[in-house]
Amino acid sequence: MILKPEELSIKDNYKLIIGSVLPRPIALVSTISEDGVLNLAPFSFFTRITTKPATIGLAPALKGKEGEKKDTLANVESLKEFVVNIVTESISDQMVKTASEVAPDVDEFKVAGLTPIDSEIVRPPRVKESPINLECKLYKVVYIGDGTAGSGAFVIGEIVAYHIDDILYNNGRIDTALLKPVARLAGQDYTTLGRCFTIERKV
């Protein structure tokens, strides 16, 4: 079967992308609005980019037919700082609560029942319950599409501080079995690590 994106609806394209690119790690992103309101939102269109500088990327879609910015994107462009909090099994239910559409003046830490704690360098707080927090300064925002429904932005953040729970850190590496990260699948499905295996590269 061959399908061409230009012949499909936005919804059908979305379903094919999320059903093909998986599992996807989840960034629970904390930001602050210009009015000082705390915001939390999950993004599974999220990845690492480079190591020098240390950068990560996330892709917030634009909302509605007019392409309105999500609170996270507006806050990042305004303050130019954000924190990526890694989602684990223990906070997966709270993470889902932050995906709900709420008014911009609602503190989503309170909605989710999560605890904001001060960051070392950036102004947005970290999520206390997340064992890994990446403090980021905005590197660049790349807009993709014509600004209407289905368009979005790729937010590149430069990591300026890692916060890692001591129990996870072992000789420069993170124990992923102890971390117990959660990943997004299609629809409302999520997954955990499950079976892990090693393949040694010969060259």
Side-chain angles (χ1 to χ4, degrees):
M1 176 183 293
I2 299 176
L3 301 171
K4 297 181 179 179
E6 65 271 18
E7 297 174 355
L8 302 173
S9 68
I10 293 171
K11 185 176 182 180
D12 287 340
N13 270 304
Y14 177 76
K15 287 181 178 179
L16 291 179
I17 291 171
I18 66 171
S20 301
V21 183
L22 47 75
R24 299 184 305 279
I26 304 169
L28 185 56
V29 180
S30 47
T31 59
I32 302 177
S33 73
E34 289 183 345
D35 297 326
V37 179
L38 302 185
N39 178 268
L40 267 179
F43 293 89
S44 65
F45 284 21
F46 160 60
T47 189
R48 61 159 295 279
I49 305 175
T50 59
T51 51
K52 186 181 180 182
T55 56
I56 54 88
L58 53 105
L62 298 179
K63 299 190 298 182
K65 294 181 180 179
E66 303 302 320
E68 299 174 16
K69 294 179 182 178
K70 291 186 175 181
D71 294 338
T72 298
L73 179 56
N75 293 348
V76 167
E77 288 188 318
S78 173
L79 201 65
K80 299 186 175 8
E81 297 176 342
F82 59 99
V83 179
V84 168
N85 306 279
I86 301 302
V87 176
T88 62
E89 292 180 36
S90 63
I91 62 169
S92 56
D93 288 339
Q94 292 96 319
M95 174 272 296
V96 172
K97 291 179 181 177
T98 69
S100 301
E101 288 284 342
V102 297
D105 60 350
V106 174
D107 181 339
E108 286 166 304
F109 275 88
K110 293 180 179 178
V111 170
L114 293 169
T115 310
I117 53 175
D118 289 342
S119 297
E120 291 294 319
I121 298 174
V122 302
R123 286 161 286 181
R126 299 178 287 129
V127 173
K128 180 180 180 181
E129 291 81 3
S130 172
I132 298 179
N133 319 108
L134 311 176
E135 294 189 33
C136 299
K137 288 186 176 289
L138 178 61
Y139 184 87
K140 190 174 186 179
V141 177
V142 179
Y143 279 90
I144 302 168
D146 61 5
T148 59
S151 300
F154 188 60
V155 175
I156 302 172
E158 181 173 354
I159 300 170
V160 294
Y162 300 95
H163 296 263
I164 302 170
D165 192 316
D166 290 345
I167 196 172
L168 301 177
Y169 189 81
N170 183 11
N171 194 30
R173 297 177 181 271
I174 293 171
D175 188 324
T176 52
L178 288 178
L179 176 61
K180 297 183 179 180
V182 170
R184 185 81 187 270
L185 299 175
Q188 299 186 56
D189 293 337
Y190 297 82
T191 188
T192 54
L193 283 180
R195 184 175 73 93
C196 298
F197 58 93
T198 301
I199 299 176
E200 184 177 345
R201 288 194 290 185
K202 301 298 182 182
V203 293

